[in-house]
Amino acid sequence: MLRRWHLAASVHLVWAQDWPATANGFNPGDVPAPPVNMQPQIPFQMPDAMAEPTALPTMPPEPSPAPVAPPMCQDFLKLRSQVTKSPVRTYVQNFGTWLRESPYQTAIALAAFAIGCVCAWDGPRLWENLLISGCSMAVAWLAHFESSKNDFAPNLPSELVLTLAAGGITGLAVYSGFEGTQVIIGAVIGFAAAANCGVGSQAQAIDNSLPGISLTWCCAGSIFGAWVLVTWRRPLLACLAPLFGSYLVVAGLGTLLGDCLDTEFLPLQGAPWSVEASILLGPLGLHALTWHCLCAFLAASLQNCGRRALAVMALIGYVVLLALGALLVGVQCHDGTRTDGSACPEHLAFPGRWQWQCAGCTAWAILAAYTGWRQLGALQVYLSRKLSRRTSRSRSSYAPLDEPPNVESGLQAFVPPGYTVTTVTGPQRLSGFVSSLPHRRPLGTV
């Protein structure tokens, strides 16, 4: 019986291996043919008991996920990306383009020279007027820019009315809320200074090591700027006004003289005022304004300690460094290269323009030192007069009297006729005073 089953199983296996070739009464057309791409089935084979098990196929290692920035870092990166798309950045870029490409470079230089003279002479006293005028002109220019770009005004008179209305309303708003404007301006200046000084383009690297530190630094700078401009405005303006006023005077006067004289120690003839003025700031450009503000803050601190000479030296410290850097480049470099053939150091001065940078920064330092010394002296006089007024006011309010006042004669005018004023010499309780009221009779009565 076992042999019969074994024989039958062998026959069925052979038929299953080659069923189309077997003709046991079945027609191959009765069964659907397998797909063309199907591989022929291999008969089942029992695995050898002594065979070694095959190793499982190894999967390639999964790539490690990219590091995800912390939430604070992502927020700051979003803030930086939004700042690049901000309309304020567009306004600043268009204004810079207008300064470079405007055909009225002589008028721009004259305006810079006039504003610089006002600031260098007595900036703190005229700060409110300058701020109101500057805000009005800035908003008027923004209204003109938007009107020209989006065709808000149908003709020139309506555009002029819109521009004047925007500037006038802004000036009235700044005049009415001057102290609140100082908070906003201080916060903006502090935020920009902190971003340019401590963070800059390294925000992502800093946040990767310590998440959120760059945004916290900028917010702290804005708070500090608002506090300084509100509580310490007069000493700080006494240092900032001569510094930047002298800068505008030198840049404007240099541009005007450069159009008349052809020399390497003056700006180029026909060059834009903004380009020649940026050379005085050094290779850092507008980022150097942060360091100038730090020097002014240090000078105000020294002036508060009574160190007037040291305050003036700290005020012009960075300007002197720019002049010395340009002089070093002029000594070492000739025709754009050093004596050993290496390139000139571009971090000290602009290649080929070190003469104007050296001469302009030298004039800037001398004028800023003179005007700074004068305004710091005026600040001392202002603070001493303010202190004397406070002292005299407090003395007049609490000055001792030479003779004690006559209370009875003073109160007798308010007493009805027939009554008299009795002075109590000792302490008297309320109950004793009330009990003595029936005994207080008018004069002349029995």
Side-chain angles (χ1 to χ4, degrees), residues 321-339:
L321 289 179
L322 290 176
L324 292 178
L327 182 61
L328 183 62
V329 170
V331 172
Q332 291 184 353
C333 299
H334 299 282
D335 297 333
T337 58
R338 293 181 178 178
T339 55

Side-chain angles (χ1 to χ4, degrees), residues 17-18 44 72 87 91 96 127 137 162 176 223 229-231 245 266 274-275 282 292 296 301 337-338 353 361 379 402:
Q17 182 176 2
D18 195 11
F44 177 77
M72 292 291 291
Y91 296 150
W127 165 248
M137 294 177 63
L162 175 63
S176 302
I223 296 174
L229 200 58
V230 170
T231 62
L266 289 175
S274 59
V275 175
H292 288 295
S301 303
T337 58
R338 293 181 178 178
R353 300 306 311 278
C361 289
L379 176 64
D402 297 334

Side-chain angles (χ1 to χ4, degrees), residues 101-153:
E101 299 177 358
S102 176
Y104 308 106
Q105 295 297 325
T106 303
I108 294 175
L110 284 173
F113 177 76
I115 296 174
C117 289
V118 171
C119 294
W121 182 254
D122 198 354
R125 180 179 299 179
L126 302 174
W127 165 248
E128 184 174 358
N129 299 329
L130 289 175
L131 182 63
I132 294 173
S133 303
C135 292
S136 301
M137 294 177 63
V139 174
W141 183 84
L142 292 180
H144 168 70
F145 175 78
E146 291 293 339
S147 177
S148 302
K149 184 177 181 181
N150 301 314
D151 296 332
F152 289 157

Side-chain angles (χ1 to χ4, degrees), residues 209-445:
S209 59
L210 190 58
I213 187 62
S214 57
L215 185 59
T216 306
W217 169 259
C218 293
C219 292
S222 64
I223 296 174
F224 180 75
W227 173 77
V228 167
L229 200 58
V230 170
T231 62
W232 215 25
R233 181 167 60 242
R234 186 80 184 195
L236 191 61
L237 289 178
C239 296
L240 287 175
L243 181 64
F244 291 108
S246 302
Y247 167 73
L248 294 177
V249 168
V250 172
L253 185 60
T255 303
L256 295 175
L257 293 178
D259 293 338
C260 302
L261 303 176
D262 187 9
T263 175
E264 296 179 349
F265 293 93
L266 289 175
L268 300 177
Q269 292 184 353
W273 173 85
S274 59
V275 175
E276 297 300 325
S278 63
I279 295 178
L280 298 180
L281 298 176
L284 292 180
L286 294 178
H287 294 281
L289 296 178
T290 303
W291 300 106
H292 288 295
C293 291
L294 290 177
C295 290
F297 181 77
L298 180 59
S301 303
L302 293 173
Q303 173 65 22
N304 193 27
C305 299
R307 306 290 183 177
R308 186 177 173 186
L310 291 179
V312 173
M313 294 175 62
L315 182 64
I316 63 173
Y318 193 74
V319 184
V320 174
L321 289 179
L322 290 176
L324 292 178
L327 182 61
L328 183 62
V329 170
V331 172
Q332 291 184 353
C333 299
H334 299 282
D335 297 333
T337 58
R338 293 181 178 178
T339 55
D340 56 355
S342 60
C344 294
E346 297 182 357
H347 61 279
L348 296 178
F350 286 95
R353 300 306 311 278
W354 66 268
Q355 298 92 341
W356 162 234
Q357 180 178 339
C358 181
C361 289
T362 302
W364 181 11
I366 295 174
L367 185 59
Y370 170 73
T371 56
W373 179 270
R374 180 183 175 277
Q375 292 200 25
L376 289 178
L379 176 64
Q380 289 181 351
V381 175
Y382 169 79
L383 294 178
S384 62
R385 289 180 179 177
K386 187 176 181 180
L387 182 60
S388 63
R389 284 197 301 266
R390 288 182 179 179
T391 306
S392 61
R393 189 180 307 168
S394 61
R395 288 180 179 178
S396 61
S397 301
Y398 301 98
L401 298 176
D402 297 334
E403 298 180 358
N406 191 353
V407 180
E408 296 183 2
S409 61
L411 294 178
Q412 190 66 40
F414 301 95
V415 177
Y419 289 85
T420 182
V421 178
T422 304
T423 305
V424 180
T425 57
Q428 186 176 8
R429 295 182 180 179
L430 181 60
S431 58
F433 175 75
V434 173
S435 61
S436 64
L437 286 178
H439 303 286
R440 299 174 180 270
R441 299 177 181 178
L443 294 177
T445 60

Side-chain angles (χ1 to χ4, degrees), residues 71-86:
M72 292 291 291
C73 180
Q74 293 179 0
D75 292 342
F76 189 75
L77 293 178
K78 290 179 181 179
L79 177 63
R80 290 173 59 87
S81 62
Q82 293 297 328
V83 167
T84 57
K85 302 177 183 179
S86 173

